[in-house]
């Protein structure tokens, strides 16, 4: 039934199902749409929209470590959805589903869905230390002025982008503590428009090869609309 009017009658061609759950839906005219969305346009029901908008890990672009056969990597939480259980599964959640999160791995540009409670890839959410982050923001030399201009080396070809050096500007820093080890991650807005958290320190996983550029060098100001999947943090 339509989540707006509660009716299920009418031309089914004008009824849109949620891309995520395939259960929530609405009439195009009830939702104020002039036409049904195209294949490239995603439409989400109210429940799935609320889930994405209010999930704390998505809102903070939380960092998660995950183990694969090739090693342990750090991913950014960029999305969330309900993973609907098969018949007989008593996993809690709306319509019998459990919550899963999409992780974007900067190291190779891949993105995959993970159940952070079942930890099938030994996932661990890295928690930010708020006090140490506040202290670091006051003293971090890369945050002086409008932020340091840096050039960072990326050693993998990602989405048809060749490996090489990429220029950007440092926007923020967060301090993560894990197992007694502390390291800082910097949010960098790249000239390409992407915004990513990178490890520019000398400890912690996936340390980046980088160098600071002349502060007089010209770099575009960060665009408010620039947002690579999950990179707004």
């Amino acid at each position: 039934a339509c989540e707006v009017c509660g009716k299920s009658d009418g031309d089914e061609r004008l009824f849109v199902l949620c891309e995520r759950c395939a259960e929530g839906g609405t009439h195009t005219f009830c939702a104020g749409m002039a036409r049904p969305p195209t294949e490239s346009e995603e439409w989400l029901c109210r429940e799935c929209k609320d889930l994405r908008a209010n999930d704390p890990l998505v809102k903070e672009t939380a960092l998660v470590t995950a183990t694969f056969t090739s090693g342990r990597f750090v991913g950014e939480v960029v999305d969330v959805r309900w993973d609907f259980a098969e018949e007989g599964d008593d996993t809690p959640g709306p319509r019998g589903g459990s919550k899963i999160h999409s992780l974007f791995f900067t190291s190779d540009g891949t993105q995959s869905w993970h159940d952070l409670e079942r930890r099938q890839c030994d996932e661990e959410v890295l928690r930010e230390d708020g006090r140490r982050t506040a202290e670091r923001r006051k003293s971090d030399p890369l945050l002086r002025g409008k932020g340091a201009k840096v050039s960072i080396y990326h050693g993998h070809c990602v989405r048809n982008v060749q490996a090489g050096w990429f220029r950007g500007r440092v926007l923020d820093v967060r301090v993560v503590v894990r197992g007694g080890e502390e390291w800082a991650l910097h949010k960098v807005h790249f000239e390409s428009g992407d915004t990513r958290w990178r490890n520019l320190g000398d400890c912690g996983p996936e340390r980046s090869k980088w160098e600071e550029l002349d502060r007089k060098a010209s770099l575009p100001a960060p665009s408010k609309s620039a947002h690579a999947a999950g990179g707004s943090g």
Side-chain angles (χ1 to χ4, degrees):
C2 175
E3 65 177 22
V4 178
C5 70
K7 300 179 181 180
S8 57
D9 55 354
D11 189 341
E12 63 179 20
R13 292 174 298 178
L14 299 179
F15 194 86
V16 184
L17 285 176
C18 177
E19 293 286 342
R20 292 295 175 85
C21 67
E23 291 193 22
T26 183
H27 295 110
T28 55
F29 46 84
C30 287
M33 291 185 281
R35 56 168 177 76
T38 64
E39 292 184 1
S40 62
E41 297 173 331
E42 183 180 55
W43 184 86
L44 303 182
C45 68
R46 185 181 300 114
E47 185 175 3
C48 289
K49 283 181 180 178
D50 289 344
L51 176 67
R52 177 190 282 178
N54 298 314
D55 185 84
L57 298 182
V58 174
K59 290 171 70 174
E60 70 177 68
T61 317
L63 302 173
V64 176
T65 59
T67 301
F68 301 94
T69 55
S70 55
R72 192 161 182 82
F73 301 92
V74 178
E76 300 176 2
V77 176
V78 295
D79 205 351
V80 63
R81 67 177 174 85
W82 293 111
D83 186 28
F84 300 102
E86 297 180 358
E87 186 176 355
D89 190 339
D90 59 358
T91 303
R95 311 188 191 108
S98 60
K99 187 188 295 186
I100 60 174
H101 291 83
S102 180
L103 305 182
F104 177 85
F105 296 92
T106 304
S107 58
D108 61 4
T110 59
Q111 189 169 327
S112 53
W113 292 96
H114 294 255
D115 189 325
L116 302 183
E117 292 188 3
R118 296 183 179 180
R119 301 184 61 191
Q120 295 161 320
C121 294
D122 192 27
E123 295 92 344
E124 179 184 353
V125 179
L126 301 178
R127 299 298 180 183
E128 178 182 338
D129 187 306
R131 180 181 62 82
R132 295 182 185 181
T133 294
E135 293 174 352
R136 182 65 181 254
R137 283 174 176 155
K138 295 177 182 179
S139 60
D140 195 309
L142 295 180
L143 294 182
R144 292 198 306 265
K146 296 181 179 180
K149 301 164 186 175
V150 295
S151 181
I152 300 176
Y153 183 76
H154 192 76
H156 298 272
C157 295
V158 177
R159 296 177 181 175
N160 298 321
V161 177
Q162 296 299 313
W165 289 88
F166 296 88
R167 302 203 312 165
R169 187 189 299 277
V170 177
L171 303 181
D172 197 7
V173 66
R174 61 165 63 163
V175 176
V176 174
V177 179
R178 176 176 178 269
E181 185 181 34
E182 172 186 324
W183 68 87
L185 297 164
H186 290 83
K187 183 162 72 171
V188 180
H189 174 78
F190 291 94
E191 289 182 321
S192 62
D194 289 354
T195 302
R196 295 291 175 200
W197 288 97
R198 302 302 296 266
N199 185 350
L200 305 183
D202 55 6
C203 63
E206 298 186 41
R207 294 188 295 275
S208 298
K209 181 180 180 181
W210 67 284
E211 60 184 24
E212 184 173 0
L213 301 174
D214 183 349
R215 286 183 175 267
K216 295 181 180 180
S218 175
L219 272 181
S223 168
K224 293 182 179 179
S225 61
H227 175 76
S232 63

